[in-house]
Amino acid sequence: MAEQLASLADDRALLGRTSTAERVSDILRSRIADGFFPPGTRLSEDSIGGALGVSRNTLREAFRLLTHERLLVHELNRGVFVRVLTAEDVEDIYRTRALVECAVVRSLGEPPYALDGLADAVADGERATAENDWKALGTANIHFHRELVALAGSERTDEVMRSVFAELRLAFHVVDDPRRLHEPYLARNREILQALRDGDRDRAERLLAVYLDDSLERMVEVYRRRVGDDGASAG
């Protein structure tokens, strides 16, 4: 933990002169998404507040914001912990993804579409695969879907899905074989991108729906084996 806190102190510069709970929560959200604080980790107010140089009240407000986003959980008389998702949580995340992402594709107007962000995410995934960096491939896959949602041009939708994707990263951190989880979907990302380049949003939506169904099935299978239905680690 000492090493992680020393690294966290490097993020002080991101706070600027006006240290706010929102900025602290942004930092912690990113660190949680990157696996810096794995699921089940207890977050120490004193240690994290000291590393970031923020007050206890500011940190508590940041914790409250992240608890509202379902990334943290407060346990009475024990403290604040990074949330361990259940298999039911994972199913709900994918249900939300299917509702939102497929609706975004379905509601696209006439082509051509602004696809540079999607193309960049595919390229990031290809580089990660070439380097056998499966964690980076998982990040690139999420980047692809975040850019897909951004095609709606809705800040509200982006905000909702930011939290959903952050929760999804919590589930990724308990997977024992990230290559097997992430690698098959790079080719599917390419297929969806090509369908949108061709202006065929109906085909893109069909590909996306099957993609999410298959990903959910695999994710729940792995998650139940590794964590269990109730979020208790299988060790």
Side-chain angles (χ1 to χ4, degrees), residues 68-69 96 100-101 104 146 148-165:
H68 181 71
E69 293 180 19
T96 303
V100 174
E101 293 184 48
V104 167
R146 190 169 61 236
L148 187 69
V149 169
L151 293 176
S154 166
E155 291 184 6
R156 291 177 179 83
T157 305
D158 290 343
E159 183 71 18
V160 167
M161 294 306 292
R162 181 183 69 169
S163 296
V164 170
F165 290 136

Side-chain angles (χ1 to χ4, degrees), residues 30-35 97 117-118 120-126 128-129 133-147 165-166 168-170 172-173 178-179 181-183 185-186 189 211:
S30 295
R31 291 290 188 163
I32 291 168
D34 290 340
R97 291 185 65 192
L118 290 176
D120 288 345
V122 169
D124 288 344
E126 290 169 342
T129 300
D133 188 343
W134 309 116
K135 178 181 176 182
L137 177 57
T139 298
N141 283 347
I142 287 182
H143 180 204
F144 179 89
H145 290 274
R146 190 169 61 236
E147 291 295 333
F165 290 136
L168 182 62
R169 289 296 292 266
L170 290 181
F172 284 173
H173 294 315
R179 177 177 184 173
L181 179 67
H182 299 306
E183 189 175 27
Y185 298 101
L186 177 58
N189 289 345
Y211 176 129

Side-chain angles (χ1 to χ4, degrees), residues 13-184:
L14 300 177
L15 296 175
R17 293 189 176 184
T18 55
S19 297
T20 66
E22 288 81 4
R23 287 176 179 169
V24 173
S25 66
D26 285 344
I27 290 170
L28 294 179
R29 184 187 302 106
S30 295
R31 291 290 188 163
I32 291 168
D34 290 340
F36 185 81
F37 297 118
T41 301
R42 181 180 179 276
L43 302 185
S44 165
E45 288 185 2
D46 292 339
S47 298
I48 293 175
L52 290 175
V54 298
S55 71
R56 185 182 296 267
N57 285 341
T58 295
L59 188 60
R60 285 178 176 174
E61 176 62 14
F63 284 172
R64 188 192 68 77
L65 292 171
L66 294 177
T67 299
H68 181 71
E69 293 180 19
R70 301 174 61 81
L71 297 181
L72 302 181
V73 59
H74 180 268
E75 297 186 11
L76 188 63
N77 299 324
R78 294 193 65 216
V80 175
F81 294 79
V82 178
R83 196 157 167 263
V84 178
L85 303 185
T86 65
E88 185 179 59
D89 289 324
V90 175
E91 291 174 338
D92 194 40
I93 287 168
Y94 273 87
R95 188 179 303 114
T96 303
R97 291 185 65 192
L99 286 170
V100 174
E101 293 184 48
C102 290
V104 167
V105 174
R106 190 182 315 121
S107 64
L108 291 174
E110 294 301 313
Y113 308 120
L115 303 176
D116 287 349
L118 290 176
D120 288 345
V122 169
D124 288 344
E126 290 169 342
R127 281 191 294 272
T129 300
E131 296 169 2
N132 294 324
D133 188 343
W134 309 116
K135 178 181 176 182
L137 177 57
T139 298
N141 283 347
I142 287 182
H143 180 204
F144 179 89
H145 290 274
R146 190 169 61 236
E147 291 295 333
L148 187 69
V149 169
L151 293 176
S154 166
E155 291 184 6
R156 291 177 179 83
T157 305
D158 290 343
E159 183 71 18
V160 167
M161 294 306 292
R162 181 183 69 169
S163 296
V164 170
F165 290 136
E167 278 194 89
L168 182 62
R169 289 296 292 266
L170 290 181
F172 284 173
H173 294 315
V174 304
V175 172
D176 55 347
D177 189 353
R179 177 177 184 173
R180 183 172 179 269
L181 179 67
H182 299 306
E183 189 175 27

Side-chain angles (χ1 to χ4, degrees), residues 170-209:
L170 290 181
F172 284 173
H173 294 315
V174 304
V175 172
D176 55 347
D177 189 353
R179 177 177 184 173
R180 183 172 179 269
L181 179 67
H182 299 306
E183 189 175 27
Y185 298 101
L186 177 58
R188 295 189 179 203
N189 289 345
R190 290 194 203 100
E191 287 182 315
I192 293 170
L193 174 60
Q194 188 58 54
L196 292 174
R197 280 174 168 162
D198 294 341
D200 192 345
R201 66 184 180 188
D202 291 339
R203 178 168 179 267
E205 184 185 354
R206 289 194 300 272
L207 289 169
L208 177 60

Side-chain angles (χ1 to χ4, degrees), residues 216-230:
L216 169 60
E217 182 178 356
R218 175 170 293 186
M219 191 70 199
V220 169
E221 175 192 355
V222 171
Y223 207 82
R224 283 187 169 139
R225 174 166 49 83
R226 292 284 295 170
V227 177
D229 290 336
D230 61 356

